[in-house]
Amino acid sequence: MQLNTKSAYQFDLDGFLVGKVNAIESPKEPGNYVLPNGARFLEPPPDFNTNECLFHDGIVWMIKPDFSGKPYYHRKDRSVKYFVKGEELDGNYTSIEPLQNERFQKFTSTWVIDEDAKAENQKSILRSVRNSLLLETDKYILPDYPLDASIKEKYLEYRQYLRSYTETDNWHLSDPISFEAWKSNK
């Protein structure tokens, strides 16, 4: 015995179209069809695009965005978000994956290395190194520190080098040097 079927359309619990299913004719009531749970005899509109899904609110069909199923990356902090069906993709996210192993990057129309942020980070690190070197030499210029006057004068010159270190062009491209290395270069 062959069963008669009729096309129906399956919906998920949120009202989004899942796909086409077959409703089987009832053997006890010819002309009546048994619908799978969540299915309706409601034909959807024929055309919708990628990243769109069909939704029926019980009255009308609507085309809603569908960015579900793949990761999207925040354009500023690179955090990953997975959108759900019907959720709008705002301008803060892109489907383009950020660069691997690169901390300093920004998104324009693609991910690029943010050279300015990278340089600022390097400057911050080198300022800390320079400040540590200044702190290490503080004791040598105290009036009661037992040190020969000529060596004390060298420490004062070295400290001046450290203070003016950040005022030269491209200073962040080389590390500040230790007192011993500075003294040997003099």
Side-chain angles (χ1 to χ4, degrees), residues 58-142:
I59 300 171
V60 296
W61 282 103
M62 290 182 261
I63 295 177
K64 291 207 169 193
D66 183 8
F67 297 100
S68 62
K70 66 179 185 175
Y72 288 85
Y73 305 91
H74 196 276
R75 292 173 185 234
K76 293 211 190 284
D77 66 14
R78 300 186 307 272
S79 60
V80 178
K81 180 174 181 177
Y82 289 87
F83 287 82
V84 296
K85 279 185 179 180
E87 187 176 5
E88 293 286 341
L89 178 66
D90 64 43
N92 292 321
Y93 289 89
T94 177
S95 62
I96 300 170
E97 188 173 357
L99 303 170
Q100 295 295 315
N101 302 317
E102 180 55 53
R103 181 174 163 203
F104 301 101
Q105 53 187 297
K106 62 184 174 184
F107 188 84
T108 51
S109 58
T110 186
W111 292 101
V112 294
I113 295 173
D114 188 344
E115 295 296 343
D116 293 337
K118 200 172 189 176
E120 283 305 312
N121 184 65
Q122 182 66 13
K123 287 176 182 179
S124 176
I125 291 168
L126 291 176
R127 276 189 199 97
S128 294
V129 170
R130 187 263 328 252
N131 293 344
S132 295
L133 291 170
L134 279 167
L135 192 61
E136 286 174 15
T137 60
D138 276 352
K139 63 184 177 185
Y140 300 122
I141 60 165
L142 293 173

Side-chain angles (χ1 to χ4, degrees), residues 4-71:
N4 290 329
T5 61
K6 184 177 180 180
S7 292
Y9 299 89
Q10 183 74 44
F11 294 82
D12 68 11
L13 295 175
D14 295 320
F16 290 99
L17 177 68
V18 175
K20 193 173 187 178
V21 293
N22 287 322
I24 300 169
E25 185 176 26
S26 170
K28 292 183 179 179
E29 299 175 43
N32 285 329
Y33 291 83
V34 179
L35 283 170
N37 192 24
R40 300 181 211 159
F41 295 117
L42 184 64
E43 191 166 341
D47 296 325
F48 59 98
N49 299 316
T50 304
N51 294 334
E52 292 181 337
C53 58
L54 292 174
F55 174 79
H56 196 274
D57 67 357
I59 300 171
V60 296
W61 282 103
M62 290 182 261
I63 295 177
K64 291 207 169 193
D66 183 8
F67 297 100
S68 62
K70 66 179 185 175

